[in-house]
Amino acid sequence: MTAPSPNHTIWLRPHAAAFVYLPKVACTSWKLHLAAALGIQSSEPLSYKNLHNPEVLPLPYVACLSAEEQESLAAQQQSSSFLYFTVMRDPRERAVSAYRDKILLHANPHSFFSLQVLPSIQAHSGLRSDEKPSFEQFLRWIQESEDPATQNDHWLPTTRLLGLAPGEGIPENWRFWTMDAMSDAVASMNQLLGFERAFPEREALGPRPDRRSKAAMPDLISAAEAELLLQSLYGDDLAVYAAIRRQQK
């Protein structure tokens, strides 16, 4: 196993552990929850836009640790008791969520997704500038295009973000939950952190659109081509997710 993405790994220093957040997996709520549990204050009022900026909400992301802190973390990681925690979403639903939120229903004309990602997919698929790509065209772009945006963490395979090698399964020093076991995940993390506060709701920072990705899944992945692309892109994710589901039963 390689190390999980340092940009997505939050060091829980007093507890010799780390939480790896995954985009499209309640990451906003997890960041708010962990900041409250660790007593971390934001430098300005939080919004959905600035919450993910480590200069505004300075969670102890591994990528932002000082050299001294990196040494302390490395020393902790030498212990067999050091644990990683994460919550994983159904890989098919996560891909659908990324497509609907960042491509199909995305409304900000000045965002990276509107200015760079959408035109790249349109060019790859031979679409006009006023046409939105289909789910299959989105997946085929991820698979075939050399655009660096295909590696965006909203649709990068979960196993890549977690640093899991293909076929590795669930390492002994990891604790996984699926999103349908979120209450168990929150209870376990609260016990670890000695924290009692309720988990933040998805609209904790104000109203936000509900893309209803789960309801949209049957229509978007009904075609055989879409399923083949999902298997090709997210086969390792699907295998790990199935193993977690078996473990939870």
Side-chain angles (χ1 to χ4, degrees):
M1 173 181 173
T2 58
S5 165
N7 290 316
H8 297 80
T9 303
I10 298 170
W11 184 25
L12 308 175
R13 181 173 188 165
H15 311 283
F19 184 89
V20 184
Y21 84 87
L22 300 171
K24 311 306 300 175
V25 191
C27 61
T28 294
S29 294
W30 275 113
K31 289 182 180 184
L32 290 171
H33 196 65
L34 293 176
L38 298 172
I40 294 171
Q41 300 294 319
S42 62
S43 61
E44 60 187 71
L46 289 175
S47 67
Y48 293 116
K49 184 176 181 179
N50 68 14
L51 169 84
H52 306 293
N53 184 343
E55 294 183 1
V56 175
L57 187 63
L59 286 161
Y61 299 104
V62 170
C64 298
L65 299 180
S66 67
E68 182 179 351
E69 290 171 325
Q70 291 280 0
E71 291 181 3
S72 297
L73 172 59
Q76 281 192 0
Q77 290 172 320
Q78 298 303 311
S79 171
S80 59
S81 62
F82 188 90
L83 295 174
Y84 289 99
F85 297 86
T86 197
V87 177
M88 191 172 179
R89 188 174 187 174
D90 179 337
R92 293 180 177 87
E93 184 181 341
R94 180 172 177 261
V96 168
S97 176
Y99 165 70
R100 289 176 64 80
D101 187 37
K102 302 303 182 185
I103 308 299
L104 183 65
L105 304 177
H106 194 67
N108 181 357
H110 307 295
S111 73
F112 165 75
F113 301 99
S114 293
L115 296 176
Q116 297 188 45
V117 175
L118 180 58
S120 177
I121 302 174
Q122 289 168 330
H124 182 268
S125 304
L127 300 175
R128 300 188 310 269
S129 61
D130 61 344
E131 287 184 283
K132 287 292 183 79
S134 68
F135 184 53
E136 291 178 30
Q137 289 169 328
F138 167 65
L139 295 177
R140 200 172 293 114
W141 169 78
I142 296 174
Q143 183 181 64
E144 298 175 354
S145 175
E146 295 182 359
D147 189 326
T150 61
Q151 305 301 301
N152 186 275
D153 61 3
H154 287 87
W155 43 79
L156 195 70
T158 292
T159 45
R160 294 261 307 272
L161 293 171
L162 299 178
L164 301 180
E168 182 177 8
I170 303 176
E172 291 185 2
N173 64 330
W174 279 80
R175 300 293 180 268
F176 283 86
W177 295 273
T178 61
M179 282 194 76
D180 54 7
M182 186 69 82
S183 60
D184 293 337
V186 172
S188 295
M189 291 302 298
N190 279 354
Q191 183 176 15
L192 173 76
L193 299 169
F195 191 61
E196 298 295 334
R197 193 174 302 179
F199 195 63
E201 299 290 339
R202 69 179 302 276
E203 293 190 334
L205 297 178
R208 61 194 305 196
D210 184 353
R211 302 306 192 191
R212 302 189 181 280
S213 300
K214 193 168 186 176
M217 282 176 62
D219 289 338
L220 291 179
I221 66 175
S222 59
E225 178 65 16
E227 180 60 27
L228 287 172
L229 287 165
L230 287 166
Q231 289 289 341
S232 177
L233 290 166
Y234 302 107
D236 292 327
D237 287 11
L238 290 163
V240 171
Y241 185 76
I244 299 167
R245 292 291 301 270
R246 291 193 297 270
Q247 193 178 73
Q248 285 180 173
K249 290 181 179 179

